Amino acid sequence: TGLGGEAFAWRLLEEEAVAVMPGESFGVEAGHLIRLGLTLPDDELAEAVRRIAALASRLCRARTEAATA
């Protein structure tokens, strides 16, 4: 996506209403990651994963378009 874990986590909350923990919270080496809590019912977790994938797809598409423009 081109974003670090914290920036991705904030965008995910703002654009898709999904809260995750930025990897930076668990050390510098995890700065490019996010962490998920798997405490939701399966159907809600599946929807959250769908929203995470949607944001990642949009960000990657925008990054590709910017690189080829």
Side-chain angles (χ1 to χ4, degrees):
T1 67
L3 298 179
E6 185 171 355
F8 185 83
W10 279 111
R11 292 277 300 263
L12 187 59
L13 183 60
E14 292 167 358
E15 296 179 28
E16 296 290 340
V18 174
V20 296
M21 179 68 77
E24 288 96 334
S25 301
F26 300 93
V28 174
E29 63 280 348
H32 62 289
L33 304 172
I34 59 170
R35 292 192 113 175
L36 308 174
L38 304 177
T39 58
L40 298 171
D42 289 347
D43 59 329
E44 292 180 37
L45 185 57
E47 176 61 18
V49 170
R50 186 198 66 73
R51 292 179 186 191
I52 293 167
L55 176 62
S57 179
R58 284 196 312 274
L59 292 171
C60 288
R61 190 170 38 254
R63 188 172 186 203
T64 300
E65 289 171 0
T68 59

